[in-house]
């Protein structure tokens, strides 16, 4: 069984994807981490994430980069969004994701184009979303808990910029697959969202 989980930044898709993978006993891949690693590698090499050649060179990152906690930072998240618009970068990372999805026994992947490009044959496709203001508030609260003080307005502006970039790119834009199940987490607690996601997956499987 393959489960594809897509959605914009700070929608809660990563948390839900991990919970679903644990619930259904599936290997899990956060594909966004691959793009964050590319963005970070470009940064470390003093490259330009908006330059296609520099971004492609960033795909040759060592595995150790994936363990760098700085990948979860807002700055690197922005770099990931910038390198991900390049078709050559997406092509370079696609095989790794496709191979993971198609492993024996299935898998669960989360990202921006899993249900539309990486695993369009997935048995279950979820698209997780929430209003930009709520996603910005979640991210702001998370950063404050970490002792990082960034104005809420700056976070909201960054999220809207990322949304526009991710949804507007020509190659594999962020959008729900035609048969994706939509889940708006805006008014849900983490526990409620996890249960809602499990219910959606189980309902879809019963229809098979």
């Amino acid at each position: 069984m393959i489960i594809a989980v897509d959605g914009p930044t700070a929608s809660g898709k990563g948390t839900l994807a991990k919970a679903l993978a644990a619930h259904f006993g599936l290997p899990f891949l956060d594909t966004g981490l691959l793009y964050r690693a590319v963005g970070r590698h470009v940064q470390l090499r003093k490259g330009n994430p908006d330059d296609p050649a520099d971004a492609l060179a960033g795909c040759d990152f060592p595995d150790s980069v994936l363990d760098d906690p700085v990948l979860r930072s807002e700055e690197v998240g922005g770099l990931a969004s910038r390198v991900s618009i390049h078709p050559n970068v997406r092509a370079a990372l696609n095989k790794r994701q496709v191979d993971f999805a198609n492993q024996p026994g299935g898998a669960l992947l989360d990202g921006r184009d899993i249900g539309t490009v990486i695993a369009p044959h997935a048995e279950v496709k979820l698209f997780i979303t929430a209003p930009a203001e709520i996603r910005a508030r979640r991210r702001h609260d998370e950063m404050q808990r970490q002792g990082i003080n960034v104005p809420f307005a700056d976070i909201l502006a960054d999220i809207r910029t990322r949304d526009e970039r991710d949804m507007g790119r020509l190659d594999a834009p962020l959008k729900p697959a035609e048969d994706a199940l939509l889940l708006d987490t805006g008014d849900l607690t983490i526990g409620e969202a996890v249960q809602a996601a499990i219910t959606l997956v189980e309902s879809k499987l019963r229809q098979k």
Side-chain angles (χ1 to χ4, degrees):
M1 175 177 65
I2 301 173
I3 300 178
V5 180
D6 291 304
T9 187
S11 60
K13 70 179 183 299
T15 298
L16 295 184
K18 290 176 185 176
L20 287 171
H23 182 82
F24 291 101
L26 292 171
F28 168 65
L29 177 63
D30 174 0
T31 65
L33 200 62
L34 301 179
Y35 289 94
R36 285 173 176 261
V38 174
R40 175 62 171 163
H41 198 41
V42 171
Q43 182 185 51
L44 292 173
R45 294 171 59 141
K46 310 298 184 184
N48 178 3
D50 300 316
D51 180 82
D54 284 358
L56 180 60
C59 292
D60 188 27
F61 58 83
D63 288 342
S64 59
V65 172
L66 292 170
D67 297 323
D68 189 342
V70 78
L71 293 189
R72 299 293 182 182
S73 70
E74 284 299 292
E75 180 184 13
V76 174
L79 294 173
S81 181
R82 290 164 66 184
V83 299
S84 70
I85 70 169
H86 304 301
N88 55 359
V89 170
R90 305 199 71 83
L93 297 180
N94 273 11
K95 185 180 186 302
R96 186 184 307 198
Q97 298 172 69
V98 170
D99 287 347
F100 188 91
N102 293 328
Q103 65 183 288
L108 188 150
L109 298 84
D110 89 69
R112 301 288 197 276
D113 63 350
I114 309 306
T116 54
V117 176
I118 301 300
H121 56 299
E123 285 85 348
V124 184
K125 303 170 190 173
L126 298 180
F127 192 88
I128 313 301
T129 189
E133 291 78 7
I134 291 177
R135 289 186 282 130
R137 178 58 62 192
R138 290 172 178 167
R139 185 57 55 82
H140 182 257
D141 291 346
E142 177 185 2
M143 294 178 72
Q144 285 198 317
R145 288 194 296 271
Q146 297 172 352
I148 304 171
N149 294 312
V150 178
F152 172 79
D154 291 354
I155 296 176
L156 178 58
D158 179 64
I159 280 180
R160 285 176 169 161
T161 297
R162 287 199 216 176
D163 285 352
E164 183 177 355
R165 185 186 298 127
D166 292 341
M167 291 185 288
R169 66 186 179 223
L170 296 178
D171 187 55
L174 169 65
K175 64 178 181 179
E178 290 186 3
D179 55 345
L181 304 173
L182 302 182
L183 176 57
D184 189 324
T185 64
D187 295 325
L188 302 178
T189 65
I190 293 176
E192 290 170 341
V194 168
Q195 188 54 56
I198 291 172
T199 299
L200 283 174
V201 172
E202 291 179 337
S203 175
K204 183 69 173 180
L205 292 175
R206 284 196 296 269
Q207 298 172 18
K208 296 291 184 179

